[in-house]
Amino acid sequence: MYGFINTCLKSLVVEKYGEETWEKLRLQAGVQDSFLTFEVYKDEITMQLVDKACKILGVPADTVLREFGEYFFEFCKRSGYDHMLRTLGGNLYEFIENLDALHSYLSLSYQEMNAPSFRVEKNEDGSMHLHYYSDRRGLCHIVPGIISAAALDFFNIEISMEIVNQTEEEERTGKKEHIVFLVTQTPVFAYKERNEFSSSPQNLADSEKQIENQLNKENTIRDRGSSVCPAKKSHWKTIRGIITLGKGKLSFRGRFDPVYPKSLWIDTKTFCNGLPFHMVFDKELRVKQAGVSIQKIVPGLQTMGICLDHYFSIVHPEVPFTISSIQKFINSQFVFQTRREMMPESWKHRPMLELRGQMIWMESLQCMLYLCSPLLRTLHELEERQMHIADIAPHDVTRDLILLNQQRLAEMELSNQLERKKEELRILSKHLEEEKKKTEALLYAMLPQHVANQLKEGKQVEAGEFKECTILFSDVVTFTNICAQCEPIQIVLMLNSMYLQFDRLTTVHDVYKVETIGDAYMVVGGVPVPVPTHAERVANFALGMIIAATGVQNPVSGNPIQIRVGIHTGPVLAGVVGEKMPRYCLFGDTVNIASRMESHGVPSKIHLSSSTYQCLKYKNFEMTERGEIEVKGKGKMHTYFLIRNKTATENEIMGRPMKDLDSGHESVTQTQPEKDQTPAIAMKYIDGPADAQNSPKRRNQAKIADLTGI
């Protein structure tokens, strides 16, 4: 099928069920995201899409196909075929009767099109039998959708269609599905139309009867009084005179009665020259008459009485070459193709000629008239058969069709190229968007998101003051000795293993990683987004670091490494430093004190300043007093050790799937895990009434707020 069909199916799913449903559907069907209009795709792709749509939407195939048929009709109208469809016929019968002709015309442009065939029969009760023939099985339920939509839109009638017979007929190309639908229709009148007496059939009939009575009355008066007043003419008499002079007949309600001459005023020679492509044959298919051009191409037709099926085969409709079969499809366009073995020697290496036209049964002569023209799509096909425009009669629109279709095919080729370029650009744009996301993810890993966005826009990032935040420093105990005793790659692998786990913990507790220098790791809570629970977050992060460090092996001794952790709470100034490799840095005495807490700490212990202790005192943390110690550059300071969180489990602190559901915290949104690790489950903190301050909306507002004075 052409990509136009698959594009329509995609449009239906996206419009009625959403982009996500289409994405799921195409992935399950294993097909591409978009289709080129003039590209031919395998039928299996369409069948797969329909089958997966039935499963995903949970509806039977006939319902999906009928809905697709209704949508396909609207899709064709929106695609520029509206006027073409409207002019097919004045009623539903004529519309269906000319569908094959429409397909025949479209096949000039869509040369690979394998369209179904339709035949319609009127019944005495006003219903119709619609015969549907197709090489593709299982798609017949599209037909009621298309026909119903066309009947309601074009002719304002509602129809019902039911299958009354379903068979398979053996044709030259294989078995063809033959479905017979019973079509019954009901007019749909608008309220205004139902109440307008002038539009009713009875009113029209009464008007016609009044006119006829008036004419008869005037006629009687004329016959009786012609000798009394011959010069005076009535109004109706004047009308009769005009009609007589115009050599026409007064008709009512669209009736027309043609006038035929007593004998045919055209001689045989003129007829055969004027219609150069025509043939007359009897019930036994014996040729009785042929146009001069077809005789020139097929010289065997000059021998009257030869059998037509010896020289031609029927390409469309795919029926046996018999009079009864032709009469059955009398309203269809017939395509004949010359037989190679019966053509002159000069045609042996040329493509065979195809003729397209209509059949007319002449009852009085018991013969069939085939009025046809060469079926040629382009000038190239004309040249291949060594024919010329002059071989086609001047009145034959085939001349214009060849020239117009040549231009149409050129436009289609250009459109196809543009469509391919558009698809290439779409794919490149998609890849570009993916790369952009990767770049942004890398940028946001280096800088806070709102700071990175300001830098991308070329804006200057103002430094911001944070009145209270909690800073953590950590380092590896005896790191210098380890470096002296092992290979550099071993140091890199050890630090990478440790930092991957620490980075994961920053996601769990929503703290900001400032930087790493060698074995030193620095994070801050409450910056760049101020939160009241900054001390709790950093404390839980520190507990997680101690646990994570036990899983990292010392490359020298083979034992778990030991780390020192120091934490301090206080005010800082934060801003972006540098242009070449900009970094978001913290400044102030709080940074220095936090660093001193780490350097004066104890292995595998979390060293707290008194300010951090005050923040955590009533927060369900177990802490012990270390006492006063001498701190370089600060003198004596009263410090503490953080032991554990009394209410949170190890799994919660580490961001693992929870096992103890009785803990005082809950697990919330899962974030993307590092490679070969379990998903990091963020720990929930209460930063205000009903956790309102910790909501995404609150955080977004905080990120874009002016940092100065916060």
Side-chain angles (χ1 to χ4, degrees):
M1 295 187 187
Y2 275 92
F4 183 82
I5 304 294
N6 296 331
T7 301
C8 175
L9 185 55
K10 175 187 175 180
S11 179
L12 167 64
V13 174
V14 170
E15 189 173 309
K16 295 199 173 184
Y17 303 101
E19 192 77 46
E20 299 80 8
T21 304
W22 165 252
E23 190 66 18
K24 183 179 179 182
L25 172 61
R26 78 166 191 86
L27 288 175
Q28 288 193 16
V31 302
Q32 63 265 47
D33 182 50
S34 59
F35 304 92
L36 301 178
T37 303
F38 303 110
E39 189 78 17
V40 180
Y41 297 88
K42 293 181 179 179
D43 290 355
E44 288 76 10
I45 293 177
T46 309
M47 300 300 185
Q48 273 284 91
L49 288 171
V50 172
D51 179 61
K52 297 302 179 184
C54 295
K55 293 178 180 177
I56 292 174
L57 302 176
V59 293
D62 57 341
T63 304
V64 171
L65 291 173
R66 184 181 178 94
E67 185 175 1
F68 173 71
E70 294 172 354
Y71 187 84
F72 182 71
F73 173 74
E74 294 297 329
F75 189 77
C76 289
K77 287 173 58 181
R78 294 204 303 259
S79 301
Y81 295 98
D82 184 24
H83 294 298
M84 189 181 296
L85 291 169
R86 287 183 183 276
T87 54
L88 280 185
N91 53 54
L92 184 60
Y93 176 84
E94 293 175 353
F95 177 84
I96 299 172
E97 192 178 44
N98 284 281
L99 282 177
D100 277 13
L102 174 63
H103 289 152
S104 179
Y105 167 73
L106 292 177
S107 67
L108 295 174
S109 301
Y110 298 89
Q111 298 183 17
E112 301 295 324
M113 184 171 70
N114 182 18
S117 182
F118 298 91
R119 180 169 63 88
V120 63
E121 299 171 340
K122 283 184 178 180
N123 300 323
E124 292 182 358
D125 59 356
S127 63
M128 294 182 290
H129 278 112
L130 171 59
H131 297 259
Y132 163 81
Y133 303 85
S134 176
D135 291 331
R136 303 180 178 98
R137 294 170 184 79
L139 298 180
C140 62
H141 296 287
I142 295 177
V143 178
I146 296 175
I147 301 300
S148 298
L152 188 61
D153 192 331
F154 293 163
F155 311 112
N156 201 31
I157 56 175
E158 290 180 348
I159 64 169
S160 62
M161 294 180 64
E162 59 175 314
I163 297 176
V164 294
N165 192 24
Q166 185 170 356
T167 58
E168 282 191 347
E169 297 184 358
E170 194 75 33
E171 302 291 347
R172 294 190 307 277
T173 57
K175 290 186 177 179
K176 184 180 286 286
E177 187 176 54
H178 177 198
I179 310 292
V180 182
F181 294 93
L182 176 63
V183 184
T184 55
Q185 57 188 37
T186 306
V188 179
F189 294 107
Y191 177 80
K192 183 178 180 181
E193 291 175 341
R194 287 199 301 265
N195 289 278
E196 287 183 354
F197 175 74
S198 61
S199 65
S200 67
Q202 183 61 41
N203 186 46
L204 292 173
D206 292 344
S207 300
E208 179 183 339
K209 190 173 181 181
Q210 289 177 8
I211 293 173
E212 290 177 347
N213 290 338
Q214 184 66 28
L215 287 172
N216 291 334
K217 183 177 178 182
E218 293 293 336
N219 194 31
T220 303
I221 294 173
R222 182 195 64 186
D223 293 340
R224 290 179 179 177
S226 57
S227 59
V228 178
C229 190
K232 188 175 181 179
K233 293 185 178 180
S234 69
H235 171 70
W236 292 105
K237 187 175 181 180
T238 304
I239 292 176
R240 283 183 179 277
I242 293 171
I243 294 171
T244 303
L245 288 171
K247 296 181 175 63
K249 293 186 178 181
L250 187 64
S251 61
F252 301 99
R253 301 179 66 182
R255 289 201 306 265
F256 171 71
D257 298 322
V259 175
Y260 300 103
K262 293 181 179 179
S263 60
L264 191 62
W265 286 86
I266 183 171
D267 61 85
T268 306
K269 184 177 179 180
T270 303
F271 188 89
C272 290
N273 280 285
L275 297 174
F277 291 93
H278 83 276
M279 289 177 282
V280 177
F281 53 95
D282 61 15
K283 288 183 176 181
E284 285 74 34
L285 304 181
R286 291 193 298 268
V287 176
K288 299 295 184 182
Q289 182 177 313
V292 293
S293 292
I294 191 63
Q295 291 181 36
K296 179 181 176 182
I297 296 171
V298 188
L301 295 180
Q302 291 182 313
T303 305
M304 297 302 158
I306 57 100
C307 287
L308 190 64
D309 58 342
H310 290 173
Y311 290 86
F312 294 93
S313 60
I314 300 179
V315 176
H316 180 83
E318 294 180 1
V319 296
F321 208 143
T322 62
I323 282 291
S324 59
S325 297
I326 294 174
Q327 287 178 327
K328 191 177 180 181
F329 287 83
I330 193 73
N331 292 321
S332 300
Q333 282 194 340
F334 278 78
V335 177
F336 281 11
Q337 185 182 66
T338 55
R339 295 185 182 275
R340 187 173 297 278
E341 64 272 14
M342 302 301 291
M343 294 296 286
E345 190 65 30
S346 59
W347 276 80
K348 293 299 181 182
H349 302 290
R350 301 183 205 170
M352 289 296 96
L353 178 67
E354 291 185 344
L355 302 172
R356 181 181 60 185
Q358 71 173 117
M359 295 289 181
I360 301 174
W361 176 247
M362 298 180 289
E363 184 65 31
S364 59
L365 300 177
Q366 290 292 292
C367 287
M368 187 72 73
L369 170 63
Y370 181 40
L371 289 173
C372 58
S373 300
L375 179 56
L376 299 169
R377 299 175 179 86
T378 62
L379 294 173
H380 178 67
E381 291 185 1
L382 191 72
E383 292 174 345
E384 281 184 325
R385 289 155 181 83
Q386 296 184 14
M387 294 178 62
H388 304 86
I389 293 290
D391 294 327
I392 305 171
H395 63 78
D396 194 338
V397 294
T398 303
R399 285 173 166 234
D400 300 323
L401 279 177
I402 294 173
L403 298 174
L404 288 172
N405 200 54
Q406 183 75 23
Q407 181 182 356
R408 166 68 176 158
L409 289 175
E411 292 173 354
M412 283 177 59
E413 180 60 28
L414 179 61
S415 176
N416 202 18
Q417 291 178 11
L418 291 174
E419 204 169 357
R420 288 180 185 277
K421 292 296 181 184
K422 179 182 175 183
E423 179 62 14
E424 290 175 7
L425 288 174
R426 188 191 68 81
I427 294 173
L428 288 174
S429 177
K430 185 178 179 180
H431 290 164
L432 181 63
E433 190 64 30
E434 292 173 355
E435 294 301 319
K436 181 183 176 184
K437 288 180 180 179
K438 292 178 183 178
T439 305
E440 288 180 345
L442 183 61
L443 182 61
Y444 296 154
M446 299 170 62
L447 294 168
Q449 186 170 341
H450 71 283
V451 172
N453 290 336
Q454 289 183 53
L455 290 175
K456 284 197 303 181
E457 294 170 5
K459 298 178 182 178
Q460 186 175 359
V461 181
E462 299 288 339
E465 181 185 352
F466 293 81
K467 293 185 177 180
E468 188 176 69
C469 68
T470 299
I471 299 175
L472 175 149
F473 277 94
S474 74
D475 74 343
V476 178
V477 179
T478 67
F479 181 70
T480 305
N481 295 336
I482 295 173
C483 291
Q485 298 179 49
C486 60
E487 296 293 330
I489 188 62
Q490 292 177 296
I491 301 299
V492 172
L493 293 174
M494 179 192 75
L495 291 178
N496 185 57
S497 174
M498 182 175 67
Y499 287 164
L500 283 176
Q501 296 189 57
F502 291 176
D503 291 346
R504 183 174 178 275
L505 287 170
T506 62
T507 301
V508 175
H509 301 286
D510 196 14
V511 293
Y512 180 68
K513 175 184 175 182
V514 181
E515 63 182 350
T516 58
I517 302 176
D519 64 325
Y521 195 95
M522 178 184 178
V523 299
V524 61
V527 177
V529 180
V531 288
T533 56
H534 53 84
E536 295 174 61
R537 294 172 184 272
V538 174
N540 283 323
F541 176 81
L543 291 170
M545 293 178 79
I546 298 296
I547 298 170
T550 61
V552 181
Q553 193 177 51
N554 185 325
V556 177
S557 65
N559 298 323
I561 63 170
Q562 290 183 307
I563 62 171
R564 282 187 299 262
V565 180
I567 304 175
H568 176 62
T569 301
V572 296
L573 188 72
V576 177
V577 177
E579 290 184 356
K580 194 71 174 179
M581 289 185 65
R583 298 295 299 172
Y584 189 70
C585 297
L586 307 181
F587 304 93
D589 195 45
T590 301
V591 179
N592 297 329
I593 296 174
S595 178
R596 294 290 182 265
M597 289 298 100
E598 176 268 315
S599 61
H600 290 74
V602 178
S604 299
K605 293 284 187 178
I606 302 170
H607 196 198
L608 306 178
S609 69
S610 59
S611 61
T612 305
Y613 172 79
Q614 293 299 324
C615 291
L616 298 176
K617 188 162 56 173
Y618 304 108
K619 301 294 184 180
N620 296 316
F621 287 95
E622 181 182 336
M623 295 171 285
T624 60
E625 185 178 0
R626 184 180 185 184
E628 284 191 354
I629 62 170
E630 186 71 28
V631 177
K632 182 181 178 181
K634 297 297 178 183
K636 292 187 180 296
M637 292 185 68
H638 205 86
T639 62
Y640 303 81
F641 287 122
L642 174 63
I643 307 301
R644 68 185 182 92
N645 187 318
K646 298 177 183 179
T647 57
T649 65
E650 180 179 315
N651 285 331
E652 288 180 287
I653 291 173
M654 298 302 293
R656 301 173 187 142
M658 285 177 55
K659 295 179 181 179
D660 183 7
L661 299 178
D662 296 326
S663 64
H665 292 275
E666 301 176 13
S667 63
V668 291
T669 309
Q670 290 189 1
T671 58
Q672 185 66 32
E674 297 289 346
K675 188 176 180 181
D676 301 328
Q677 293 187 2
T678 56
I681 301 175
M683 196 168 179
K684 187 174 182 181
Y685 293 88
I686 300 175
D687 288 315
D691 204 23
Q693 294 188 27
N694 198 38
S695 66
K697 181 178 179 181
R698 173 70 182 89
R699 292 192 179 190
N700 289 335
Q701 290 173 348
K703 286 182 180 181
I704 62 174
D706 183 8
L707 299 178
T708 305
I710 294 179

